[in-house]
């Protein structure tokens, strides 16, 4: 399962994370606001967001999550 977050605004936006299917954690694969090389995680294991209920997406950026597990 995948979850995409787009922020076209000039301010950060806090997104509430839905429950991932099967109780698996969401993991960050891409965050275009992060410093390179941390902006794209090209192979597992990805950064787990298991303890997060929301994710702040920076202005004019994109985040891509995948349900791992």
């Amino acid at each position: 399962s995948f979850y995409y977050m787009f922020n076209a605004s000039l301010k950060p936006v806090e997104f509430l994370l839905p429950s991932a299917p099967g109780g698996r954690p969401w993991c960050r694969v891409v965050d275009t606001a992060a410093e390179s090389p941390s902006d794209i995680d090209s192979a597992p294991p990805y950064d787990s967001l298991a303890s997060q209920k929301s994710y702040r997406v920076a202005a004019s950026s994109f985040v891509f999550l995948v349900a791992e597990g």
Side-chain angles (χ1 to χ4, degrees):
S1 295
F2 306 104
Y3 189 63
Y4 299 93
M5 295 175 279
F6 296 91
N7 181 6
S9 149
L10 297 177
K11 297 179 181 180
V13 173
E14 192 80 20
F15 283 79
L16 295 178
L17 297 177
S19 297
R24 297 176 292 169
W26 287 116
C27 299
R28 185 182 62 235
V29 180
V30 176
D31 185 340
T32 59
E35 292 285 328
S36 185
S38 298
D39 56 341
I40 300 174
D41 203 348
S42 59
Y46 303 115
D47 292 333
S48 176
L49 307 177
S51 63
Q52 292 184 226
K53 301 292 184 211
S54 63
Y55 192 93
R56 181 177 291 262
V57 179
S60 304
S61 64
F62 159 78
V63 175
F64 170 62
L65 306 179
V66 63
E68 281 280 305

